[in-house]
Amino acid sequence: MKNFVALTGMILLLFAGCSEEQAATDETAVKSVTVEARTIQPQKFEQYLKLVGSVEAQNDVRISAEVPGRIERYFVEQGDRASKGAPLLKIDDSKLQREQARLQAQTQQAREQYERLEKVYEQEGIGSEIDVINAKSTYEQSKSALEAVEVDLRNTTVRAPFDATVEKLLMEQGEMASTGAALVRLIGNNQLKVSAGVPANYADVVSKGDQAEIWFDYQQADTLRLPISFVGQAIDPEARTFEVEIKLPPQKASYKVDMLSNIKLRTFSKDSVVVIGKEYIYKNDNQNVVYIRNEDQQENAIARAVPIQLGASYKNNVVISRGLSAGDQLITVGSSFLQDSMRIKVVEDKGKKLAQEKY
């Protein structure tokens, strides 16, 4: 009987020990939600718009023929640089020269006829005033025709209207050029710009003079920061965009017309706001909430679900316009496992430690 009582006591003690161990295990489980937290500090928030633009020349023109004729010769080749006023090509002017000679003789005869009639009418009273008027009119018409031919003769030598590079010869030597036919494509030297279309809903935030960041795929490390030189006042009805232009610095041979570029425009900026990552925001009863470190009545660390109101966002960052204040400890790593009032154990912010080691 004594042995039975002793055995019973041992079993009861064993069960009691297991219960205490289970209670201790449960208590440990409650305290075992390990998280990281960071103290909220107001910071500057900026929002950007990224676009793809293309390089254009401010002077990218096709020089056309002003008089018809056969292309006699070119003075330049593709790739040559031409100064303003330099000859580019010559159109055959033999027919115009013959017309010039004919009109010179005609004009000379008309002038002499007019002067003779005027002299005898004024000095001797011979003839009539209407004859003098008609002779003068004939002379002036011949003179005007001669001047027009002389202009055409000058235009048979096509000249560069500005300092440029000869991008392409559009017709071959010996071809017949009609009036208005494109002959040469010229691209102005050191007058390149980047052009892009900005969505219409940003019309009130993009202005001339705003700073833009520009880089090309081949030189991402060499980002240019340049002011916007032009903002269009019209919206493209199909693309629903308006045009912006940014002048590129001169003396950059690496920039080519029609080259694609990356553009970043700042569309919003505000100082001293609360900014957090979107991954720390959760839905709870149709509300956006975050978890912050708090304490219960026994001064145990717990997670508190705080409703928040969202503001502007950019990439993974979002402004918290209401719900968080400076000094709050936002739970970051481990927040996805939390519920309101859950006990937590806060450890050092590894991200902060890595940042300190890096810098």
Side-chain angles (χ1 to χ4, degrees), residues 52-56 193-196 256-261 263:
V52 175
S54 61
V55 177
E56 300 177 358
K193 61 185 178 182
V194 170
S195 176
K256 306 295 184 185
V257 172
D258 294 330
M259 180 184 287
L260 295 181
S261 65
I263 305 173

Side-chain angles (χ1 to χ4, degrees), residues 114 117-118 121 125-136:
Y114 161 61
L117 289 177
E118 183 182 40
Y121 175 72
I126 300 174
S128 64
E129 184 179 2
I130 191 64
D131 291 335
V132 176
I133 293 173
N134 288 337
K136 181 180 181 181

Side-chain angles (χ1 to χ4, degrees), residues 51 194-198 206 228 230-232 242-246 265:
L51 305 168
V194 170
S195 176
V198 180
V206 177
I228 296 175
F230 169 79
V231 177
F242 61 93
E243 186 179 13
V244 296
E245 294 178 358
I246 302 139
L265 303 177

Side-chain angles (χ1 to χ4, degrees), residues 12-78:
L12 291 174
L13 287 172
L14 179 62
F15 275 108
C18 290
S19 298
E20 290 176 359
E21 182 180 351
Q22 181 65 35
T25 301
D26 292 342
E27 181 68 16
T28 301
V30 170
K31 297 180 180 179
S32 64
V33 181
T34 302
V35 299
E36 296 179 11
R38 68 176 178 87
T39 302
I40 296 293
Q41 297 291 344
Q43 58 183 283
K44 185 176 183 178
F45 175 81
E46 293 181 331
Q47 194 175 47
Y48 292 90
L49 173 66
K50 286 189 175 181
L51 305 168
V52 175
S54 61
V55 177
E56 300 177 358
Q58 302 213 50
N59 287 323
D60 184 354
V61 299
R62 286 167 170 77
I63 305 299
S64 300
E66 295 188 54
V67 294
R70 181 178 56 84
I71 299 177
E72 190 173 88
R73 61 169 299 194
Y74 278 99
F75 300 105
V76 294
E77 295 181 353
Q78 290 185 176

Side-chain angles (χ1 to χ4, degrees), residues 152-164:
D152 286 343
L153 275 169
R154 288 195 295 271
N155 288 336
T156 58
T157 300
V158 179
R159 300 180 181 275
F162 46 79
D163 294 343

